[in-house]
Amino acid sequence: MMMSRGYTRLASSMFTMVSPRFFSTAATRGVLSNDMVKAPAVGLGVRCRSSMAAIGVGDKEQEKKQAVGGGGGSAKDDKEIVSYWGLDPTKVSKEDGSPWKWTCFRPWDTYRADLSIDLKKHHAPVTVLDKMAYWTVKSLRWPTDLFFQRRYGCRAMMLETVAAVPGMVGGMLLHCKSLRRFEHSGGWIKALLEEAENERMHLMTFMEVSDPRWYERALVFAVQGVFFNAYFLGYIISPKFAHRVVGYLEEEAIHSYTEFLKELDNGNIENVPAPPIAIDYWRLSPNSTLRDVVLAVRADEAHHRDVNHFASDIHYQGRQLKEAPAPLGYH
């Protein structure tokens, strides 16, 4: 009994002397770094080394995140996306070496609008389908004139939200047809998607010079929903009718932008400087104005008019679009 108490006191005193050295935080770090990692023991050594490797990988990941998004950087740096997949954004420059700031289009997507195109071309409706397409478009103009009146900036925005739909619908349906039939499209899928993208860029441009009201934004939802489904069904039933409708829509667009130019020339609408996005997209001069932008957009609409009337004519001749090379890059 006495010996047991003696051993207990001895063990207690030894624990008190040793514990400050071996059970403090600093001492534990020293033991892990110097003794345990270098220990040749198989079982414990492998476990410790694997744990330390995991800690090292975690530290590297943390340092990477801090280098990208932290470390006292700007607010923009804090919003950088860190991804495991390593898809870093490509760095693009202009011809003069200055950085390219647009992500919605690239320098190779830009072009100079062909302003020499004939704006007075018109397809005279002859067949029943042509007359249906013509009067369908004419009937849509009356409520548009009543709603927007002479607010051509907002009118252009509304027009582009509709005009960007047919190319996407037609391209999508041709894409599915090409997959089903294991055949090429003759380039028409790309041509129609180019048209849709070009119309969308018109919208992005006019957003810089016009601020639509809340009910106009709500109207876009309604019109786009109705028009998308109507055009989808129309293209499935009769592609020649669908393309003819778009051809007449583009003729009306040319008329609307001509009226827009008249208002600018008469001083009823301020001829503000061209938005930077328009200057880069159409390769306009730095001192260009809104009038130059409208001229470029009107020329685009004339080209879309030609493409869609041409597509309708192909179908009227009993041919498929793939039998005629698509006018790729036709601006």
Side-chain angles (χ1 to χ4, degrees):
M1 195 67 179
M2 295 293 293
M3 292 178 65
S4 176
R5 290 178 180 175
Y7 283 130
T8 303
R9 290 176 181 174
L10 180 60
S12 177
S13 61
M14 291 179 64
F15 183 83
T16 304
M17 295 172 61
V18 173
S19 60
R21 291 184 57 190
F22 291 97
F23 293 91
S24 67
T25 305
T28 303
R29 290 177 182 167
V31 170
L32 284 174
S33 60
N34 297 325
D35 299 334
M36 294 185 69
V37 174
K38 295 180 180 179
V42 176
L44 182 61
V46 170
R47 291 185 61 187
C48 290
R49 280 194 289 270
S50 63
S51 300
M52 292 298 292
I55 294 172
V57 172
D59 291 342
K60 290 180 180 179
E61 292 294 331
Q62 185 65 25
E63 290 174 1
K64 184 178 178 181
K65 289 181 180 180
Q66 290 178 354
V68 175
S74 62
K76 182 179 179 181
D77 293 333
D78 292 338
K79 295 181 180 179
E80 291 288 344
I81 298 175
V82 179
S83 174
Y84 165 78
W85 306 105
L87 299 177
D88 297 327
T90 55
K91 294 182 179 180
V92 183
S93 301
K94 295 182 181 180
E95 294 178 354
D96 58 3
S98 58
W100 184 262
K101 63 180 180 179
W102 309 108
T103 56
C104 54
F105 66 101
R106 298 298 188 179
W108 48 85
D109 298 321
T110 64
Y111 61 96
R112 295 186 186 276
D114 179 17
L115 304 181
S116 64
I117 189 169
D118 187 357
L119 301 173
K120 297 180 180 180
K121 278 186 178 180
H122 168 66
H123 181 275
V126 178
T127 66
V128 175
L129 279 180
D130 281 358
K131 292 178 180 179
M132 286 178 58
Y134 179 78
W135 289 110
T136 298
V137 173
K138 284 295 184 181
S139 65
L140 294 175
R141 181 177 173 180
W142 178 79
T144 305
D145 291 341
L146 182 64
F147 184 82
F148 290 103
Q149 297 182 0
R150 309 198 74 79
R151 293 185 295 115
Y152 286 100
C154 292
R155 184 191 184 108
M157 255 196 318
M158 174 62 73
L159 180 66
E160 299 303 342
T161 61
V162 173
V165 171
M168 181 60 66
V169 173
M172 176 187 66
L173 290 175
L174 287 180
H175 175 76
C176 294
K177 180 180 179 181
S178 175
L179 298 178
R180 289 194 309 271
R181 298 189 176 183
F182 304 93
E183 63 185 17
H184 293 285
S185 69
W188 280 94
I189 296 173
K190 187 174 182 180
L192 293 178
L193 294 181
E194 279 183 352
E195 176 186 315
E197 175 63 14
N198 181 250
E199 297 284 10
R200 192 185 66 84
M201 286 304 301
H202 294 174
L203 175 63
M204 297 298 104
T205 299
F206 284 115
M207 282 174 56
E208 300 293 325
V209 297
S210 181
D211 185 20
R213 300 167 184 174
W214 68 268
Y215 56 84
E216 292 171 340
R217 292 176 179 268
L219 185 61
V220 170
F221 277 88
V223 172
Q224 190 181 82
V226 173
F227 184 72
F228 179 94
N229 289 285
Y231 191 79
F232 181 87
L233 292 175
Y235 201 97
I236 291 176
I237 297 171
S238 176
K240 59 185 175 183
F241 171 76
H243 281 294
R244 192 68 80 198
V245 166
V246 179
Y248 287 129
L249 277 174
E250 300 296 355
E251 290 184 16
E252 289 298 322
I254 294 170
H255 173 77
S256 295
Y257 285 116
T258 300
E259 294 298 315
F260 196 165
L261 288 170
K262 290 179 181 178
E263 294 294 308
L264 286 168
D265 293 338
N266 294 333
N268 297 327
I269 298 177
E270 184 181 2
N271 191 21
V272 298
I277 189 172
I279 292 175
D280 286 339
Y281 185 68
W282 283 287
R283 300 180 187 175
L284 302 174
S285 61
N287 59 347
S288 298
T289 62
L290 179 59
R291 190 180 192 281
D292 300 310
V293 175
V294 176
L295 285 172
V297 172
R298 186 177 65 170
D300 286 348
E301 306 295 1
H303 286 85
H304 299 161
R305 171 205 62 193
D306 296 350
V307 170
N308 281 277
H309 280 315
F310 174 56
S312 183
D313 289 344
I314 294 172
H315 283 290
Y316 265 106
Q317 296 172 21
R319 312 283 290 275
Q320 296 292 322
L321 290 182
K322 64 177 183 178
E323 299 179 46
L328 294 174
Y330 180 63
H331 295 296

